[in-house]
């Protein structure tokens, strides 16, 4: 893994609850590579209990990995860019809902405000998409983001093509490499597996 010592990375979590464990495992690896992580939760990710754990447990888990309290409101996320508090932002997992809002310039959640705030300073945004409709309704938004400056994608693959033919999920194991390249303005290849 590349050395990320001193890199200030925001780690945004949105509501693809079944992928939290995979995302959090990569957050640990980013920390082990020397990154300083700031946890950021969307409102739903911070509040909804699921079969994958309670919201409080998941927030506490990422806070422990990062070693600091989570940003959980639009007001807390807004200064990230203007005050130059982070070098790069990861959205892992990034739901179709969040991707649609980003593609269309909608800033009405903590997650989307964190992204908007970072884009003010033209900082890199790494997206780890996880959605059941990537190859249907969400395809146009993913396409827009692929063609928008400062967005970088963790490679995606169909996760269950026979049962869910439109579903795609990021290969979370490629997140650290994607981050290392994105900080240098490069997109990891191939994007689709």
């Amino acid at each position: 893994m590349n050395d990320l010592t001193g890199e200030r990375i925001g780690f945004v979590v949105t509501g693809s609850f079944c992928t939290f464990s995979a995302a959090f495992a990569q957050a640990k690896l980013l920390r082990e590579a020397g990154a300083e992580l700031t946890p950021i939760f969307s409102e739903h990710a911070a509040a909804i209990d699921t079969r994958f754990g309670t919201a409080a447990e998941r927030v506490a888990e990422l806070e422990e990995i990062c070693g600091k309290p989570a940003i959980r409101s639009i007001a807390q996320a807004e200064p990230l860019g203007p005050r130059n508090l982070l070098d790069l932002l990861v959205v892992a997992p990034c739901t179709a809902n969040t991707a649609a809002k980003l593609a269309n310039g909608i800033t009405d959640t903590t997650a989307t405000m964190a992204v908007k705030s970072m884009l003010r300073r033209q900082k890199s945004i790494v997206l780890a998409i996880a959605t059941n409709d990537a190859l249907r309704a969400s395809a146009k938004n993913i396409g827009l983001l692929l063609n928008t400056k400062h967005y970088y994608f963790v490679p995606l693959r169909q996760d269950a093509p026979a049962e869910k033919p439109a579903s795609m999920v990021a290969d979370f194991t490629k997140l650290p490499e994607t981050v290392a390249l994105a900080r240098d303005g490069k997109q990891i290849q191939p994007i689709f597996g």
Side-chain angles (χ1 to χ4, degrees), residues 13-25 41 45 52 58 61 92-93:
V13 178
T14 67
S16 181
F17 303 100
C18 62
T19 63
F20 280 17
S21 292
F24 291 8
F41 279 82
F52 302 103
R58 299 324 294 255
E61 181 181 356

Side-chain angles (χ1 to χ4, degrees), residues 36-118:
E36 298 172 18
L37 295 186
T38 298
I40 304 165
F41 279 82
S42 73
E43 286 75 0
H44 289 142
I48 297 174
D49 295 338
T50 71
R51 63 188 166 107
F52 302 103
T54 68
E57 290 167 342
R58 299 324 294 255
V59 170
E61 181 181 356
L62 190 59
E63 287 178 333
E64 184 175 330
I65 291 167
C66 297
K68 59 177 79 167
I71 291 173
R72 296 173 58 172
S73 72
I74 290 173
Q76 290 175 311
E78 191 278 331
L80 294 173
R83 293 189 186 158
N84 198 28
L85 299 175
L86 300 172
D87 302 313
L88 183 141
L89 195 71
V90 170
V91 185
C94 180
T95 61
N97 185 54
T98 297
K101 290 179 180 195
L102 297 175
N104 291 285
I106 299 168
T107 307
D108 63 352
T109 68
T110 303
T112 56
M113 176 54 81
V115 172
K116 177 183 177 181
S117 182
M118 293 293 287

